[in-house]
Amino acid sequence: MRLRPLTARSNGNGPRIGLDVAPAQRPLSGVGVYVTELAAALDTLAPDRMVRLGMRVDRALRSTELRAGDSAMRGRLHLVWILRHAERDARAGGCELVHYTNAVAPLVGTRPLVVTIHDLSVIRRPTSHPAARLAVVPFLLSAARRARLIIVPSTATAEEVQGL
């Protein structure tokens, strides 16, 4: 596997990237910290190319003002927003690629997507999750099949995702 560093393009060329920031909510969980740090890094590297999708009213992100293309989270549930609004928000923001940061993505979309899958505990140990959390399983599987790239935090998770 060849890794390439992400670098800013000084001339602003390149695709507009939509970043699903909805998982960044207070109190911050591990996923929330990941999203907050990723958004801050992309904001530093390529602020003119990043569109924040699903910003929450609790303002967990470091940079909290809505900018051109950004969208606000509608409703309380991440999965509902993903299914009802995320694709439309990405289109309205001019996104050419969307990174969904917590394992799920819209079932239908026209934009290439990247998805981060932090773990597969909801599949491996379903009884350790609330029943409502189990609803994400078909959407996780769909996102994993459709993604151009899957980001995982460990070799163990990568091996599990390859087995899907």
Side-chain angles (χ1 to χ4, degrees):
M1 174 187 296
R2 230 172 79 207
L3 301 176
R4 292 178 292 147
L6 177 64
T7 57
R9 296 178 187 206
S10 59
N11 61 6
N13 290 336
R16 284 184 58 103
I17 301 165
L19 181 67
D20 168 19
V21 297
Q25 62 181 326
R26 295 192 190 282
L28 287 176
S29 64
V31 174
V33 170
Y34 167 75
V35 172
T36 300
E37 294 297 320
L38 180 59
L42 289 174
D43 215 16
T44 299
L45 288 170
D48 55 329
R49 293 177 46 211
M50 184 181 68
V51 175
R52 295 169 302 173
L53 304 172
M55 288 184 66
R56 292 180 180 264
V57 295
D58 70 4
R59 306 292 196 213
L61 298 175
R62 291 181 193 164
S63 176
T64 58
E65 296 82 28
L66 285 173
R67 301 180 303 223
D70 288 351
S71 72
M73 171 85 166
R74 290 183 290 294
R76 293 182 309 128
L77 299 175
H78 182 241
L79 183 59
V80 172
W81 173 78
I82 288 280
L83 296 176
R84 291 188 181 166
H85 304 288
E87 175 66 16
R88 184 175 33 231
D89 288 356
R91 184 175 43 252
C95 301
E96 299 166 62
L97 170 79
V98 182
H99 178 177
Y100 293 98
T101 56
N102 198 15
V104 295
L107 289 175
V108 178
T110 58
R111 279 141 196 74
L113 62 98
V114 170
V115 66
T116 297
I117 298 177
H118 301 275
D119 65 63
L120 292 178
S121 64
V122 71
I123 293 172
R124 283 187 294 107
R125 293 196 168 89
T127 57
S128 67
H129 291 272
R133 175 79 173 135
L134 301 179
V136 305
V137 172
F139 305 106
L140 182 154
L141 295 172
S142 172
R145 282 191 293 273
R146 292 184 42 238
R148 298 264 178 107
L149 177 71
I150 298 173
I151 298 171
V152 296
S154 68
T155 302
T157 302
E159 290 170 355
E160 287 183 332
V161 168
Q162 287 175 339
L164 289 177

